[in-house]
Amino acid sequence: MVISQQEAWQLMQSGHPAVILDVRDEFEFEQVHIPGAMVIPFTELERRAEDELPEKDKTILVYCRSGRRSAIAAETLEKLGYTDIRDFGGIIDWKYDVEREY
């Protein structure tokens, strides 16, 4: 399911138990990411999801840089049996808090 960034932010603020999943490369993640996010590059998702995301019914908020990789990742997660995937696009449009490495 595609949601707006405002909806994603509101969900993050609500205390709803959700995984914030960054599907960019680790290098990109280290430069800037949303606080509390974990990173699994979309190219590694099929191999790593079962171990690192064991709860298939937990809400997963997926993002990347611009929205292309997050859409692919959401589709991949759905094929792997995850049931509550919410794609909110790219960090380039994110208007809320981020963590940066300087």
Side-chain angles (χ1 to χ4, degrees):
M1 166 193 318
V2 175
I3 64 171
S4 72
Q5 294 199 341
Q6 182 177 5
E7 289 171 307
W9 181 80
Q10 289 172 336
L11 195 59
M12 290 173 199
Q13 300 306 303
S14 74
H16 179 82
V19 173
I20 305 166
L21 180 62
D22 187 323
V23 296
R24 299 174 298 153
D25 293 332
E26 305 228 4
F27 173 76
E28 293 172 286
F29 178 83
E30 289 170 2
Q31 289 180 322
V32 61
H33 60 270
I34 294 171
M38 68 180 295
V39 61
I40 303 176
F42 84 107
T43 56
E44 299 177 18
L45 209 46
E46 283 191 61
R47 182 174 56 82
R48 294 173 53 184
E50 298 272 330
D51 290 334
E52 296 181 45
L53 302 166
E55 298 175 63
K56 291 198 173 189
D57 59 346
K58 191 167 188 173
T59 301
I60 302 175
L61 301 171
V62 184
Y63 76 96
C64 62
R65 187 187 72 79
S66 66
R68 185 184 68 80
R69 290 176 281 182
S70 63
I72 295 168
E75 204 173 283
T76 300
L77 289 167
E78 189 174 284
K79 287 177 186 172
L80 293 172
Y82 292 86
T83 59
D84 191 6
I85 307 141
R86 304 185 196 190
D87 175 6
F88 65 96
I91 197 168
I92 61 172
D93 298 320
W94 187 249
K95 296 175 177 75
Y96 308 100
D97 293 343
V98 294
E99 292 181 350
R100 294 182 185 276
E101 188 167 307
Y102 296 97

